[in-house]
Amino acid sequence: MNSKVVSTQPIEGQMPGTSGLRKKTRVFMQPGYLENFVQATFNAIGGASGKTFVVGGDGRYFNATAIQTILKMATANGAEKVIVGQDGLLSTPAASHLIRMNKTDGGLILSASHNPGGIENDFGVKFNTANGGPAPESITNAIFAETRSILEYSIAATDDVDIHTIGSFSIGEMTVEVVDPVADYQALMASLFDFDKIRELFANGFTMRFDAMHAITGPYANAILANSLGAPKGTVTNGVPKEDFANGHPDPNPVWAKELMDLMMNDNGPDFGAASDGDGDRNMIVGRNIYVTPSDSLAVLVANAHLAPAYADGLSGVARSMPTSGASDRVADKLGIASFETPTGWKFFGNLLDAGKVTICGEESAGTGSDHVREKDGLWAVLLWLNILAERKQSMTEILTDHWKTYGRNYYSRHDYEAIPTDIADTLMSGLIEKLPDLVGQEFSGLKVSAADEFSYIDPVDGSVSHNQGIRIFFESGGRAVFRLSGTGTEGATLRVYLEQYVPTEADHSQETQQALTQVKQAAQQISELASHLGRTEPDVMT
Ligand code: VG1
Ligand code: CO
């Protein structure tokens, strides 16, 4: 087999964001763009020679082509073996599991997750390390540094590999093992949960709707929910992965999963509903006539995890990202276990999970997961919910109201302002930072500021520090507003404003969420002078 060393030039802007490098698909399709990033990744980890990797993606447009390029580069760089999901498909949690199970050196996951797919939309590449988790900042920074000095990459001059047939193939000296994308993941799920109990739940007439949003979880949900657990026909919808997600936005929230929301907000709706995102690591949870905010879902899972076999002995601790509501902290307090607050992005949970400091982690963006892999895991959260429902034999509404009664309710919503010119978003954020020192004691919209800062994180395991992770403003009333700019977009800036109001008294737990957050929203808008910066006050998306 012939390998070529190809001369190249550094390409601007190949800095991985919250979760890998995401760009317009056409940008990734430019000659050398993917190649530079993949070579930079190999360089940053001391080369690929003798190493084994997992490669797969969410099936979006350009997935299969990118995989062929990566295979040819891996063999030219001396890799020993690459494990690929059949047809190039792997959900992000399944990829994480394969990396760990096969004790590989890491993996490349091709996805832009919740971003739309297709030639006119988005593509992405993420490197995960040997623990199965997203590369920490030390590595993503090293990759970026390599992209700025790269002058050549290596690639094999060979035919495409057949990734449609399960089995082992050779490409040069390297083995390519094509595996069933679902089987190992399914076995892992069966080892964590009481599948018999969940089968009994469905056999007794429990109804569910799982919206795979035309993305990667379709095959997983069909195999596990329908075929193994006996969920009724029609439970899994939009279950065939499409290259463009049927022109949808595979982001599981009430706005983009409207079809599911409409079905559930109805007295005749199913008992339980869920949706997952492009690459299968997120979950939206909804009951009949009740939407469960991801922050509440995390708290309920932590409070009830002991009902599932894998967590019967209790949890070592829980971690949430900073913008996620404090609901899970209250549960951790009551359980007497540690709780941690990390910056946004799953890469910050890896060290805590590896060190055994936490068992369950979660983010307000509908990501929850545990130490079974090193990624958030959409179907895992759905199965844990099902296991809890099978044990408690109560409705979603009963479980939620009971939870609020015990712990108080953290009303919560995220407001996204999309497609803002980058300079305007930066001015808004720097204006806020300038104001921070004087905010305490001031009143806005009737709420007095009790604390305000820019969030920094010191990793308790390796001591690494991450600055500029969002602005937090706390109010004396138990409210909080958080501001940060998205790190996953591919066009302009997205401002995320996270609103929270803690309400301890049960009598006040049946308010409408946006209503309960009106004051915090107004205060947040006043402090940030949002209207004058953006020329509007209403967000594009409210989750
Ligand atoms: C968003 C979410 C964050 C999540 C990240 C990756 O990041 O807010 O919680 O970890 O997406 O999720 P940002 O920087 O746009 O706010 V996924 O499922 O899109 O890989
Ligand atoms: Co995702």
Side-chain angles (χ1 to χ4, degrees):
M1 184 199 65
N2 287 327
S3 277
K4 318 183 271 192
V5 174
V6 180
S7 296
T8 187
Q9 288 294 319
I11 299 172
E12 286 244 327
Q14 293 198 322
M15 173 70 185
T18 312
S19 180
L21 181 67
R22 291 190 195 178
K23 297 285 172 195
K24 289 283 161 211
T25 309
R26 284 192 190 277
V27 172
F28 262 106
M29 291 167 72
Q30 288 165 24
Y33 195 92
L34 174 71
E35 290 84 345
N36 271 20
F37 189 73
V38 171
Q39 187 66 53
T41 302
F42 289 153
N43 295 350
I45 58 168
S49 181
K51 292 184 177 165
T52 298
F53 299 103
V54 169
V55 177
D58 63 12
R60 68 180 63 217
Y61 185 85
F62 195 53
N63 189 55
T65 315
I67 287 178
Q68 295 295 342
T69 302
I70 292 169
L71 292 176
K72 290 171 194 174
M73 290 185 67
T75 185
N77 277 273
E80 189 179 313
K81 182 175 172 182
V82 174
I83 300 168
V84 191
Q86 186 180 22
D87 295 326
L89 298 180
L90 281 178
S91 77
T92 290
S96 181
H97 178 50
L98 286 177
I99 292 171
R100 296 165 65 75
M101 191 183 88
N102 295 292
K103 302 197 167 25
T104 67
D105 298 285
L108 286 151
I109 301 176
L110 312 178
S111 170
S113 188
H114 61 284
N115 300 23
I119 190 164
E120 300 304 340
N121 287 304
D122 297 348
F123 191 77
V125 179
K126 187 168 74 145
F127 178 68
N128 282 29
T129 50
N131 74 343
E137 280 186 333
S138 55
I139 294 180
T140 53
N141 289 339
I143 295 173
F144 181 53
E146 290 288 340
T147 67
R148 289 167 42 125
S149 59
I150 190 166
L151 292 174
E152 57 183 41
Y153 62 82
S154 301
I155 189 159
T158 177
D159 288 343
D160 283 359
V161 187
D162 173 12
I163 54 170
H164 308 297
T165 313
I166 288 177
S168 276
F169 307 89
S170 297
I171 159 169
E173 301 285 298
M174 186 179 89
T175 305
V176 176
E177 191 184 337
V178 179
V179 299
D180 179 329
V182 178
D184 292 315
Y185 177 83
Q186 181 169 357
L188 175 67
M189 292 300 116
S191 76
L192 301 174
F193 302 113
D194 190 340
F195 271 26
D196 285 338
K197 258 270 156 57
I198 304 175
R199 273 184 201 113
E200 201 182 300
L201 180 75
F202 283 121
N204 288 335
F206 183 85
T207 52
M208 171 177 180
R209 179 64 68 88
F210 181 90
D211 188 344
M213 302 188 87
H214 306 282
I216 190 71
T217 38
Y220 295 85
N222 272 316
I224 297 172
L225 298 174
N227 299 346
S228 172
L229 295 172
K233 216 173 166 3
T235 296
V236 179
T237 54
N238 302 323
V240 178
K242 300 243 167 70
E243 282 198 331
D244 62 353
F245 309 122
N247 262 322
H249 210 123
D251 194 348
N253 63 43
V255 176
W256 296 115
K258 188 169 181 309
E259 189 184 318
L260 176 67
M261 284 300 283
D262 289 347
L263 180 81
M264 298 301 300
M265 293 302 130
N266 187 310
D267 291 345
N268 301 317
D271 295 305
F272 180 62
S276 195
D277 71 332
D279 62 331
D281 56 1
R282 298 197 194 184
N283 66 93
M284 180 177 91
I285 299 295
V286 53
R288 184 187 302 115
N289 284 323
I290 185 166
Y291 166 66
V292 185
T293 66
S295 298
D296 272 353
S297 175
L298 172 66
V300 173
L301 293 183
V302 171
N304 293 279
H306 61 277
L307 297 174
Y311 312 102
D313 294 338
L315 311 175
S316 60
V318 52
R320 64 164 172 88
S321 69
M322 182 275 280
T324 305
S325 95
S328 59
D329 302 4
R330 295 178 191 282
V331 180
D333 274 357
K334 187 145 194 211
L335 293 174
I337 57 174
S339 55
F340 297 85
E341 184 179 30
T342 60
T344 294
W346 210 261
K347 56 178 170 250
F348 295 101
F349 293 134
N351 277 347
L352 296 171
L353 289 163
D354 284 350
K357 287 181 179 295
V358 298
T359 311
I360 289 186
C361 307
E363 294 194 276
E364 57 66 40
S365 52
T368 12
S370 88
D371 57 2
H372 67 290
V373 289
R374 291 293 179 275
E375 285 279 4
K376 49 194 189 280
D377 188 344
L379 264 172
W380 168 87
V382 171
L383 291 166
L384 180 50
W385 263 106
L386 284 171
N387 204 148
I388 292 166
L389 287 160
E391 290 290 344
R392 287 188 54 166
K393 300 185 168 56
Q394 287 172 303
S395 72
M396 295 292 288
T397 303
E398 283 166 333
I399 290 177
L400 263 300
T401 42
D402 179 57
H403 186 90
W404 297 329
K405 193 169 150 190
T406 310
Y407 299 97
R409 179 168 181 184
N410 291 70
Y411 285 98
Y412 188 88
S413 181
R414 189 182 84 202
H415 290 188
D416 289 339
Y417 298 84
E418 295 174 346
I420 307 172
T422 312
D423 54 332
I424 292 182
D426 290 342
T427 314
L428 184 148
M429 291 299 281
S430 53
L432 264 171
I433 292 166
E434 266 167 41
K435 282 187 184 178
L436 285 176
D438 305 318
L439 285 180
V440 175
Q442 287 195 54
E443 218 171 273
F444 301 89
S445 175
L447 298 177
K448 199 177 226 181
V449 177
S450 57
D453 66 5
E454 196 176 12
F455 183 62
S456 287
Y457 178 66
I458 304 174
D459 186 302
V461 179
D462 66 15
S464 58
V465 183
S466 305
H467 293 294
N468 314 324
Q469 297 296 328
I471 292 165
R472 309 188 287 185
I473 298 169
F474 299 87
F475 302 102
E476 277 179 2
S477 62
R480 184 182 72 153
V482 170
F483 299 82
R484 59 178 283 284
L485 298 180
S486 159
T488 56
T490 57
E491 243 179 281
T494 293
L495 172 70
R496 302 203 196 281
V497 184
Y498 309 81
L499 308 170
E500 177 177 2
Q501 178 63 55
Y502 178 61
V503 175
T505 340
E506 192 191 343
D508 298 326
H509 288 164
S510 43
Q511 301 172 63
E512 194 274 318
T513 297
Q514 299 303 331
Q515 198 64 37
L517 294 168
T518 312
Q519 258 190 308
V520 182
K521 177 186 176 188
Q522 282 168 0
Q525 295 202 343
Q526 258 181 42
I527 297 172
S528 60
E529 298 173 44
L530 188 126
S532 71
H533 286 293
L534 305 190
R536 58 174 165 146
T537 52
E538 287 318 302
D540 299 286
V541 173
M542 288 192 264
T543 64

